[in-house]
Amino acid sequence: EEAVPMRDYRLKLAIGQFYADAGKPEKLKEYIAEVLANEKLYRIDQNGKIRIAALYLFVLKDAKTAVDILKPIYESNPANPEALGYYIQALEESGNLTETAMILESWLARNPQDGTAKAKLAEIKTKMDSKK
């Protein structure tokens, strides 16, 4: 990397994921931190941040950090189905079922035909009822 700098954040994240897959998740965290600290250099857009949140959610098993990354993306564009899907999953995994249900209800108010969202809302409400 010193000889040939990685200017594309996707490559940096992919290499970080290789490290995580090899049992060194701290290297992935280092690469993510570097990318986020240099957003302008790497030209990170919402899709890039969604990708980073997905790494936190699925590879690093850190739903709370994924929520922190996804919340402003969702709030700025609640019609983005990819951000919504990851945000809902991160909220659910972090244990915030009430907010998950509210977001799904809001989505369904705008998209009443979404059967997947209806099923997910029913699942979340069942989980909430079982915790009472």
Side-chain angles (χ1 to χ4, degrees), residues 17-70:
Q17 187 169 354
F18 289 141
Y19 275 109
D21 292 345
K24 296 186 177 195
E26 66 281 352
K27 288 294 285 184
L28 174 56
K29 288 180 184 179
E30 287 175 26
Y31 280 125
I32 290 171
E34 183 181 334
V35 167
L36 290 175
N38 297 291
E39 283 185 49
K40 289 184 181 180
L41 173 68
Y42 290 108
R43 290 182 243 142
I44 304 297
D45 58 7
Q46 280 191 347
N47 291 331
K49 287 187 178 182
I50 290 170
R51 183 177 186 153
I52 289 169
L55 287 170
Y56 272 108
L57 186 59
F58 300 117
V59 178
L60 297 172
K61 306 297 184 203
D62 182 351
K64 184 188 177 317
T65 300
V67 166
D68 292 343
I69 294 169
L70 292 164

Side-chain angles (χ1 to χ4, degrees), residues 4-5 9-12 31 36 50 60 65 73 87 91 94 97 100 105 108 115 123:
V4 180
Y9 75 90
R10 294 169 296 193
L11 179 59
K12 200 160 205 63
Y31 280 125
L36 290 175
I50 290 170
L60 297 172
T65 300
I73 296 169
Y87 188 43
L91 283 169
S94 67
L97 299 179
T100 306
E105 288 168 349
L108 284 166
E123 177 189 324

